[in-house]
Amino acid sequence: MISKKYISKIIALSLIMFASVLVGCSDDSTKSNTTSDSDNSGGQLKVALESQPNTLDPLMSSAVVRARVAQNIFESLVTLNSDFEPTPMLAESIEQSEDGLTYTFHLRKGVNFHNGKEMTAEDVLASMNRWAEKSTQALAYFEGITFEMEDDYTVIMKLKEKYKDILVFLAERDDSSIMPKEVIESEETTGVTEYIGTGPFKFDDWKQDQYIKLSKFEDYTQSDLPTDGLSGKKEALVDDLYFYFVTDTSTRLMGLKTGEYDIVNFLPEDNYEELKSDPNINTLISYKGAIEISFNKKEGLFSDFKMREAVNTAVDAEMIMKSTYPDEDLYKLNPGYINDQIVNWYVDAGKEKYNQGDPEKARELLEEAGYDGEEITVLSTRDYDYNYNTAVILQQQLEEAGMNVKIEIYDWSSLLDLQHDPGVWDISILGPDYKTSPPQMLALDPKWPGWTDDPKITDLKDKIRTAETQEQAKAHWETLQEFLWTEYLPISRVGDYAVIVGTTDKVEGFKVFDSPGGYIFWNTKVSE
């Protein structure tokens, strides 16, 4: 049960920014086929993913494709409901102190890990300490955070400073997933060596470049809360859950049409109308994130703001989005760093610097920067059509402005690894998922590839997270976004994109939830 204290304090203090967030979210953000029943479970559910993750360890990768798989294995203390509110998952109830600096998590009892061990506070303590020590965002925003064990089923979190949406942060990000203490103690430099969690599916097998196989966890301990977004009751309605890595878009499309795959992600935009009219296919679209041109600000050409400004001035965002997405249902031009549906945070400050498409002015800025034809390396991948298409059109736009541009193509997993080496790239094309508040955006993280590091940004982020009211926080965010567009440019924002997901008509209960990972494979079955 959720304690009254949790309802009155946590929701009142931590969730105020969600009161008017995502207008119509309950209707639009969780899309599904039909409601599943558990009386006909079993068999296999075969999912075609667009790329292969480099790991399933939530702390070792922020890739969405990793989260799609890992969220079935791992669970956290809190998760998001359909209104994007933090809701207890492995916690049964949560209490907050009057000063907002102490949170007490009362754990659910009888929750088993996939290795048969019961989850207790010592596992939560080990997991949360690992998160506090290794998560780039935890290190950036929660310096001095500590965790302690009160008893076998109680963990206390203490903050150095009040952070009004700490539970939102923990719920949205899965890098604070709970694992057995012994798994964490035996981890290597590349992460944990065993994928053991408390989720409805357990890790079974990984055939490199082919598939990841999960299997039903027979001893899964369900939450007493009703199913709601990513929270509440979860039930594995298939025996085996396969994630196939199918990098070719046409192959994914054909696999859906023939029934080789039950669910396919990132279907080709050019086939959108055809898919909608096919009676054997259920077509879902979901706005998942934004296309961004990320700059390496740590070293090289784009450590100079003038060079970043030149690129941003040359970018014709509308041309890029129209060339990539033939149907207006599938993209939005948007100067805001935050999704425009998140009304408590959305601002358009700095919009005059967005979508300029002015190669002549860009040439002038290049001259001011002293650019002398040096080669500019752009990292891209063919695993995502939007990524490659953006790179090609960007290359044309930058060359028109007088820049010497080379595109280097990698598989998505390799690109993610290469991003961490500032010596091998200048620009990287990214499509990060939406964040529900500014401090969570990776583009503003000084430790994330791109290396955004500026005292004014740090100061304004601190003011945002410690503001007494949402109005004050939003005012600080408006000031920060203006600064980002006009004086810093950590990225050049292109636009918001939708993902096309298709299922065969035999799939029941599958839902798309607009959050990281966000595809709900539990409570989903395949009829005969």
Side-chain angles (χ1 to χ4, degrees), residues 54-63 66-67 69-76 130-131 134-136 173-179 190-192 194-197 448:
N54 55 351
T55 179
L56 292 182
D57 186 341
L59 258 177
M60 293 293 126
S61 170
S62 65
R66 189 272 313 152
V69 180
Q71 69 176 5
N72 300 281
I73 302 170
F74 303 111
E75 295 177 317
S76 303
R130 178 179 187 244
W131 169 79
K134 295 192 175 183
S135 166
T136 58
R173 300 181 57 82
D174 69 342
D175 56 6
S176 59
S177 294
I178 306 303
M179 305 177 188
T190 55
V192 297
E194 296 180 276
Y195 301 130
I196 297 176
W448 189 251

Side-chain angles (χ1 to χ4, degrees), residues 51-55 61 63 65 208-209 379-381 383-384 408-421 424-425 428:
S51 63
Q52 178 175 218
N54 55 351
T55 179
S61 170
V65 69
Q208 282 294 322
D209 302 319
L379 295 185
S380 182
T381 181
D383 290 357
Y384 295 94
E408 292 191 351
I409 305 298
Y410 298 92
D411 64 84
W412 184 239
S413 179
S414 298
L415 187 149
L416 292 175
D417 289 337
L418 280 171
Q419 279 187 115
H420 292 273
D421 184 351
V424 301
W425 66 280
S428 181

Side-chain angles (χ1 to χ4, degrees), residues 102-382:
T102 302
Y103 290 76
T104 301
F105 296 91
H106 300 283
L107 307 179
R108 290 164 51 202
K109 297 179 180 179
V111 174
N112 293 321
F113 285 112
H114 299 151
N115 61 4
K117 170 191 170 183
E118 183 189 11
M119 179 199 72
T120 65
E122 68 174 7
D123 303 299
V124 174
L125 187 65
S127 299
M128 297 309 296
N129 280 334
R130 178 179 187 244
W131 169 79
E133 293 166 3
K134 295 192 175 183
S135 166
T136 58
Q137 299 240 309
L139 292 168
Y141 305 126
F142 304 113
E143 182 182 0
I145 190 171
T146 61
F147 297 88
E148 58 187 55
M149 189 174 80
E150 184 174 279
D151 57 44
D152 286 346
Y153 299 99
T154 307
V155 172
I156 298 173
M157 175 177 72
K158 293 184 177 181
L159 302 175
K160 191 175 180 180
E161 295 180 285
K162 184 178 178 180
Y163 193 114
K164 63 183 178 58
D165 57 354
I166 175 68
L167 292 182
V168 177
F169 190 99
L170 292 177
E172 184 180 74
R173 300 181 57 82
D174 69 342
D175 56 6
S176 59
S177 294
I178 306 303
M179 305 177 188
K181 177 184 177 184
E182 59 271 21
V183 169
I184 292 171
E185 290 176 341
S186 63
E187 75 168 313
E188 299 178 354
T189 55
T190 55
V192 297
T193 58
E194 296 180 276
Y195 301 130
I196 297 176
T198 59
F201 290 95
K202 61 182 181 179
F203 178 80
D204 194 336
D205 191 20
W206 188 336
K207 297 291 186 185
Q208 282 294 322
D209 302 319
Q210 298 182 48
Y211 63 78
I212 291 174
K213 178 189 175 186
L214 310 183
S215 59
K216 179 177 182 177
F217 180 36
E218 297 289 351
D219 294 326
Y220 178 67
T221 309
Q222 296 188 22
S223 167
D224 292 332
L225 298 175
T227 301
D228 185 15
L230 299 177
S231 69
K233 180 181 178 181
K234 301 178 184 179
E235 189 172 6
L237 297 181
V238 294
D239 295 327
D240 299 308
L241 176 55
Y242 283 89
F243 293 94
Y244 291 93
F245 314 130
V246 188
T247 59
D248 182 71
T249 308
S250 299
T251 304
R252 291 199 300 274
L253 176 62
M254 186 57 64
L256 177 64
K257 289 183 173 182
T258 61
E260 181 178 0
Y261 307 117
D262 302 304
I263 300 174
V264 174
N265 192 39
F266 269 100
L267 287 165
E269 291 80 14
D270 290 339
N271 296 89
Y272 179 53
E273 293 299 327
E274 172 195 346
L275 289 164
K276 287 197 299 182
S277 63
D278 190 327
N280 299 314
I281 293 175
N282 297 304
T283 305
L284 310 172
I285 69 165
S286 178
Y287 273 89
K288 302 300 292 183
I291 299 177
E292 296 177 353
I293 298 165
S294 177
F295 299 110
N296 173 6
K297 301 175 291 297
K298 192 170 188 177
E299 60 183 66
L301 290 169
F302 293 100
S303 59
D304 182 352
F305 168 71
K306 281 293 181 184
M307 285 297 298
R308 303 198 295 273
E309 189 179 20
V311 169
N312 185 67
T313 302
V315 170
D316 184 335
E318 185 171 9
M319 178 183 291
I320 293 174
M321 298 307 287
K322 281 186 174 180
S323 300
T324 303
Y325 299 98
D327 194 298
E328 291 185 356
D329 287 352
L330 303 177
Y331 75 89
K332 291 186 292 185
L333 296 174
N334 177 13
Y337 274 55
I338 291 284
N339 175 10
D340 61 2
Q341 287 185 303
I342 304 180
V343 296
N344 272 3
W345 283 113
Y346 180 75
V347 296
D348 62 3
K351 63 182 178 181
E352 67 277 3
K353 298 296 184 180
Y354 172 69
N355 189 28
Q356 295 178 68
D358 190 340
E360 293 306 317
K361 184 178 178 183
R363 283 180 179 273
E364 295 174 6
L365 292 168
L366 288 175
E367 186 174 348
E368 291 178 27
Y371 177 69
D372 193 28
E374 295 93 335
E375 188 172 69
I376 295 170
T377 300
V378 177
L379 295 185
S380 182
T381 181
R382 289 183 182 270

Side-chain angles (χ1 to χ4, degrees), residues 440-459:
Q440 299 183 48
M441 289 187 292
L442 292 173
L444 305 185
D445 186 341
K447 291 183 171 58
W448 189 251
W451 300 281
T452 296
D453 194 3
D454 184 271
K456 185 168 182 177
I457 295 176
T458 301
D459 177 62

Side-chain angles (χ1 to χ4, degrees), residues 22-32 82-84 284-288 332 339 341 511-515 518:
L22 296 166
V23 175
C25 174
S26 295
D27 293 329
D28 296 330
S29 67
T30 306
K31 311 169 186 70
S32 68
S82 60
D83 289 324
F84 286 71
L284 310 172
I285 69 165
S286 178
Y287 273 89
K288 302 300 292 183
K332 291 186 292 185
N339 175 10
Q341 287 185 303
K511 293 183 179 181
V512 171
F513 182 64
D514 295 342
S515 73

